Amino acid sequence: AQSVTQPDIHITVSEGASLELRCNYSYGATPYLFWYVQSPGQGLQLLLKYFSGDTLVQGIKGFEAEFKRSQSSFNLRKPSVHWSDAAEYFCAVGAPTGGSYIPTFGRGTSLIVHP
Amino acid sequence: NAGVTQTPKFQVLKTGQSMTLQCAQDMNHEYMSWYRQDPGMGLRLIHYSVGAGITDQGEVPNGYNVSRSTTEDFPLRLLSAAPSQTSVYFCASSSQTGQGATGELFFGEGSRLTVL
Protein backbone atom coordinates (compact mmCIF):
# COMPACT_ATOMS: atom_id res chain seq x y z
CA ALA A 1 0.00 0.00 0.00
CA GLN A 2 1.12 3.53 -0.68
CA SER A 3 1.89 6.14 1.99
CA VAL A 4 2.77 9.81 2.12
CA THR A 5 4.88 11.73 4.62
CA GLN A 6 4.87 15.48 5.03
CA PRO A 7 7.59 16.01 7.64
CA ASP A 8 6.76 19.64 8.41
CA ILE A 9 3.56 20.32 10.35
CA HIS A 10 4.03 24.10 10.20
CA ILE A 11 6.19 26.33 8.00
CA THR A 12 6.59 30.05 8.59
CA VAL A 13 7.97 32.33 5.88
CA SER A 14 8.08 36.04 5.25
CA GLU A 15 6.14 37.50 2.38
CA GLY A 16 8.37 37.58 -0.70
CA ALA A 17 10.59 34.75 0.50
CA SER A 18 10.91 31.45 -1.33
CA LEU A 19 9.08 28.36 -0.19
CA GLU A 20 9.64 24.62 -0.29
CA LEU A 21 7.22 22.13 1.22
CA ARG A 22 8.45 18.59 1.50
CA CYS A 23 6.64 15.41 0.52
CA ASN A 24 7.94 11.84 0.51
CA TYR A 25 5.97 8.88 -0.70
CA SER A 26 6.21 5.14 -0.53
CA TYR A 27 5.05 3.08 -3.47
CA GLY A 28 6.61 0.30 -5.50
CA ALA A 29 6.16 1.86 -8.92
CA THR A 30 5.76 5.37 -10.26
CA PRO A 31 2.64 6.78 -8.64
CA TYR A 32 0.42 9.67 -9.55
CA LEU A 33 1.32 12.58 -7.29
CA PHE A 34 -0.72 15.59 -6.31
CA TRP A 35 -0.55 18.74 -4.26
CA TYR A 36 -3.78 20.23 -2.94
CA VAL A 37 -4.32 23.51 -1.10
CA GLN A 38 -6.99 24.24 1.48
CA SER A 39 -7.74 27.82 2.42
CA PRO A 40 -9.36 28.39 5.83
CA GLY A 41 -12.96 27.17 5.86
CA GLN A 42 -12.76 25.88 2.31
CA GLY A 43 -12.53 22.58 0.53
CA LEU A 44 -9.38 21.32 -1.16
CA GLN A 45 -8.28 22.61 -4.53
CA LEU A 46 -5.77 20.93 -6.84
CA LEU A 47 -2.53 22.89 -7.25
CA LEU A 48 -0.72 20.52 -9.58
CA LYS A 49 -0.23 16.88 -10.46
CA TYR A 50 2.36 14.56 -11.90
CA PHE A 51 1.76 11.26 -13.61
CA SER A 52 4.33 11.02 -16.38
CA GLY A 53 6.76 12.97 -18.52
CA ASP A 54 8.67 16.04 -17.40
CA THR A 55 9.54 15.69 -13.73
CA LEU A 56 9.12 19.44 -13.11
CA VAL A 57 5.45 20.34 -13.19
CA GLN A 58 3.87 23.75 -13.09
CA GLY A 59 0.66 24.46 -11.27
CA ILE A 60 -1.68 27.27 -10.48
CA LYS A 61 -0.84 30.34 -8.41
CA GLY A 62 2.85 30.19 -9.40
CA PHE A 63 3.60 26.87 -7.71
CA GLU A 64 5.78 24.12 -9.11
CA ALA A 65 6.85 20.69 -7.92
CA GLU A 66 9.62 18.32 -8.88
CA PHE A 67 9.34 14.56 -8.91
CA LYS A 68 12.57 12.87 -7.84
CA ARG A 69 12.31 9.13 -8.21
CA SER A 70 15.65 8.43 -6.49
CA GLN A 71 14.49 10.29 -3.38
CA SER A 72 10.81 9.27 -3.55
CA SER A 73 9.99 12.93 -3.19
CA PHE A 74 7.61 15.44 -4.73
CA ASN A 75 8.46 18.78 -3.10
CA LEU A 76 6.38 21.86 -3.72
CA ARG A 77 8.10 25.19 -4.40
CA LYS A 78 7.28 28.82 -4.98
CA PRO A 79 9.93 31.49 -5.62
CA SER A 80 8.10 34.34 -3.88
CA VAL A 81 5.32 33.79 -1.36
CA HIS A 82 2.30 36.10 -1.13
CA TRP A 83 0.24 36.63 2.02
CA SER A 84 -2.70 34.94 0.27
CA ASP A 85 -0.69 31.70 0.09
CA ALA A 86 -1.27 31.13 3.81
CA ALA A 87 -3.19 27.85 3.86
CA GLU A 88 -2.94 24.13 4.52
CA TYR A 89 -1.12 22.11 1.87
CA PHE A 90 -1.64 18.42 1.29
CA CYS A 91 0.47 16.03 -0.73
CA ALA A 92 -1.28 12.94 -2.06
CA VAL A 93 -0.30 9.80 -3.91
CA GLY A 94 -2.70 7.95 -6.18
CA ALA A 95 -1.89 4.41 -7.12
CA PRO A 96 -4.00 1.71 -8.78
CA THR A 97 -5.89 -0.35 -6.21
CA GLY A 98 -7.98 -3.12 -7.68
CA GLY A 99 -8.63 -1.15 -10.84
CA SER A 100 -9.34 2.14 -9.07
CA TYR A 101 -7.15 5.04 -7.99
CA ILE A 102 -7.68 5.68 -4.31
CA PRO A 103 -5.52 8.60 -3.21
CA THR A 104 -3.67 8.58 0.09
CA PHE A 105 -3.05 11.95 1.75
CA GLY A 106 -0.27 13.22 3.93
CA ARG A 107 -1.17 14.93 7.20
CA GLY A 108 -0.68 18.36 5.72
CA THR A 109 1.64 21.33 6.21
CA SER A 110 0.27 24.60 7.52
CA LEU A 111 1.89 27.60 5.85
CA ILE A 112 2.07 30.83 7.84
CA VAL A 113 3.11 33.99 6.00
CA HIS A 114 4.50 36.97 7.92
CA PRO A 115 4.18 40.43 6.37
CA ASN B 1 -20.60 24.57 -12.74
CA ALA B 2 -21.86 22.86 -9.59
CA GLY B 3 -19.15 20.17 -9.28
CA VAL B 4 -19.49 18.45 -5.88
CA THR B 5 -22.24 19.72 -3.61
CA GLN B 6 -22.45 18.86 0.07
CA THR B 7 -25.27 19.59 2.49
CA PRO B 8 -25.61 20.70 5.20
CA LYS B 9 -22.58 22.94 5.74
CA PHE B 10 -23.04 22.96 9.50
CA GLN B 11 -24.85 20.60 11.87
CA VAL B 12 -25.04 20.15 15.62
CA LEU B 13 -26.24 16.81 16.98
CA LYS B 14 -26.76 15.30 20.37
CA THR B 15 -25.14 11.98 21.22
CA GLY B 16 -27.23 9.12 19.86
CA GLN B 17 -29.00 11.11 17.18
CA SER B 18 -28.82 10.07 13.56
CA MET B 19 -28.31 12.14 10.45
CA THR B 20 -27.32 11.96 6.81
CA LEU B 21 -24.75 14.10 5.05
CA GLN B 22 -25.68 14.53 1.43
CA CYS B 23 -23.23 14.58 -1.48
CA ALA B 24 -24.03 15.03 -5.15
CA GLN B 25 -21.80 15.47 -8.18
CA ASP B 26 -22.71 16.41 -11.73
CA MET B 27 -19.49 15.34 -13.50
CA ASN B 28 -20.51 11.71 -14.14
CA HIS B 29 -17.62 10.51 -12.00
CA GLU B 30 -17.51 6.81 -11.18
CA TYR B 31 -15.55 7.26 -7.97
CA MET B 32 -16.96 9.00 -4.91
CA SER B 33 -15.60 9.09 -1.40
CA TRP B 34 -16.02 10.54 2.07
CA TYR B 35 -13.16 11.86 4.19
CA ARG B 36 -13.05 13.28 7.65
CA GLN B 37 -10.56 15.96 8.60
CA ASP B 38 -9.33 16.37 12.15
CA PRO B 39 -6.54 18.64 13.43
CA GLY B 40 -3.14 17.02 12.95
CA MET B 41 -4.64 13.95 11.29
CA GLY B 42 -4.98 15.14 7.73
CA LEU B 43 -7.69 13.54 5.62
CA ARG B 44 -8.82 10.05 6.51
CA LEU B 45 -10.91 7.97 4.15
CA ILE B 46 -14.23 6.75 5.61
CA HIS B 47 -15.96 4.99 2.72
CA TYR B 48 -15.70 5.03 -1.03
CA SER B 49 -17.59 3.84 -4.08
CA VAL B 50 -16.33 2.96 -7.55
CA GLY B 51 -19.77 2.94 -9.12
CA ALA B 52 -23.49 2.67 -8.49
CA GLY B 53 -24.26 -0.29 -6.24
CA ILE B 54 -20.63 -0.70 -5.13
CA THR B 55 -19.23 0.59 -1.84
CA ASP B 56 -16.25 -0.27 0.30
CA GLN B 57 -14.66 0.70 3.58
CA GLY B 58 -11.79 3.07 3.95
CA GLU B 59 -9.46 3.68 6.86
CA VAL B 60 -12.04 4.78 9.47
CA PRO B 61 -15.47 3.28 8.58
CA ASN B 62 -16.84 2.48 12.04
CA GLY B 63 -20.00 4.39 12.91
CA TYR B 64 -20.77 5.34 9.32
CA ASN B 65 -22.90 3.83 6.56
CA VAL B 66 -23.03 4.66 2.87
CA SER B 67 -24.99 3.64 -0.18
CA ARG B 68 -24.68 4.43 -3.88
CA SER B 69 -27.97 3.98 -5.72
CA THR B 70 -27.12 6.45 -8.48
CA THR B 71 -23.92 7.72 -10.08
CA GLU B 72 -24.63 11.24 -8.83
CA ASP B 73 -25.36 10.73 -5.12
CA PHE B 74 -23.33 9.29 -2.25
CA PRO B 75 -24.90 9.99 1.16
CA LEU B 76 -23.07 9.36 4.43
CA ARG B 77 -25.18 8.20 7.38
CA LEU B 78 -24.39 8.44 11.05
CA LEU B 79 -26.75 6.01 12.76
CA SER B 80 -25.96 6.94 16.38
CA ALA B 81 -23.73 9.98 16.64
CA ALA B 82 -20.87 10.07 19.14
CA PRO B 83 -18.69 13.00 20.25
CA SER B 84 -15.73 11.28 18.52
CA GLN B 85 -17.49 11.95 15.23
CA THR B 86 -17.16 15.69 15.68
CA SER B 87 -15.19 16.63 12.59
CA VAL B 88 -15.24 18.28 9.20
CA TYR B 89 -16.44 15.94 6.48
CA PHE B 90 -15.51 16.18 2.82
CA CYS B 91 -17.03 14.43 -0.13
CA ALA B 92 -14.83 14.01 -3.20
CA SER B 93 -15.22 12.46 -6.62
CA SER B 94 -12.99 11.55 -9.53
CA SER B 95 -13.01 9.96 -12.94
CA GLN B 96 -11.50 6.52 -12.81
CA THR B 97 -11.76 5.41 -16.40
CA GLY B 98 -10.81 6.71 -19.79
CA GLN B 99 -7.72 8.39 -21.07
CA GLY B 100 -5.93 10.41 -18.46
CA ALA B 101 -7.72 8.97 -15.44
CA THR B 102 -5.36 9.62 -12.55
CA GLY B 103 -7.50 9.74 -9.44
CA GLU B 104 -7.48 13.53 -9.27
CA LEU B 105 -10.14 14.41 -6.72
CA PHE B 106 -12.75 17.13 -6.86
CA PHE B 107 -13.90 18.19 -3.41
CA GLY B 108 -17.04 19.62 -1.93
CA GLU B 109 -16.81 22.56 0.45
CA GLY B 110 -17.16 20.44 3.55
CA SER B 111 -19.69 19.82 6.30
CA ARG B 112 -18.79 20.77 9.87
CA LEU B 113 -20.44 18.41 12.34
CA THR B 114 -20.47 18.86 16.12
CA VAL B 115 -21.76 16.10 18.37
CA LEU B 116 -22.55 17.16 21.93
Side-chain angles (χ1 to χ4, degrees):
Chain A
Q2 66 267 27
S3 66
V4 177
T5 301
Q6 294 180 248
D8 303 305
I9 298 174
H10 302 283
I11 291 279
T12 301
V13 298
S14 298
E15 192 169 15
S18 63
L19 171 70
E20 183 171 35
L21 302 182
R22 296 183 290 165
C23 173
N24 293 98
Y25 69 90
S26 173
Y27 181 63
T30 300
Y32 300 145
L33 295 161
F34 309 87
W35 275 100
Y36 292 86
V37 61
Q38 183 183 30
S39 298
Q42 302 294 315
L44 279 73
Q45 179 186 19
L46 182 71
L47 276 177
L48 48 78
K49 61 187 177 186
Y50 170 82
F51 44 91
S52 67
D54 194 345
T55 57
L56 184 64
V57 294
Q58 303 296 322
I60 62 172
K61 305 184 181 186
F63 285 91
E64 66 177 28
E66 186 172 13
F67 169 58
K68 293 186 176 180
R69 184 190 307 273
S70 61
Q71 299 177 16
S72 297
S73 68
F74 189 56
N75 294 348
L76 182 70
R77 301 194 294 248
K78 187 170 185 178
S80 178
V81 170
H82 188 263
W83 64 266
S84 61
D85 293 325
E88 189 89 14
Y89 291 81
F90 293 93
C91 182
V93 56
T97 305
S100 299
Y101 298 96
I102 302 174
T104 298
F105 285 84
R107 294 195 171 190
T109 298
S110 179
L111 175 64
I112 301 164
V113 181
H114 282 314
Chain B
N1 294 340
V4 179
T5 303
Q6 286 182 239
T7 57
K9 285 186 168 46
F10 301 93
Q11 183 72 49
V12 178
L13 291 177
K14 293 181 180 178
T15 297
Q17 287 185 318
S18 62
M19 77 156 299
T20 299
L21 298 177
Q22 302 290 346
C23 176
Q25 53 93 7
D26 62 358
M27 297 172 282
N28 202 32
H29 284 166
E30 308 90 344
Y31 179 87
M32 296 186 73
S33 55
W34 278 101
Y35 290 87
R36 60 178 289 172
Q37 184 179 27
D38 303 291
M41 301 298 291
L43 290 159
R44 293 182 291 171
L45 182 64
I46 304 171
H47 285 284
Y48 66 95
S49 169
V50 298
I54 306 168
T55 64
D56 208 344
Q57 296 180 352
E59 179 185 358
V60 288
N62 292 342
Y64 307 95
N65 277 353
V66 292
S67 60
R68 184 95 179 270
S69 56
T70 67
T71 300
E72 295 78 18
D73 300 299
F74 191 46
L76 178 72
R77 298 182 185 86
L78 286 72
L79 298 179
S80 180
S84 61
Q85 294 178 302
T86 294
S87 187
V88 180
Y89 292 85
F90 288 97
C91 180
S93 71
S94 73
S95 176
Q96 295 282 317
T97 60
Q99 188 176 8
T102 63
E104 172 188 345
L105 288 172
F106 294 80
F107 283 85
E109 293 188 347
S111 300
R112 183 175 295 275
L113 175 65
T114 301
V115 183
L116 302 175

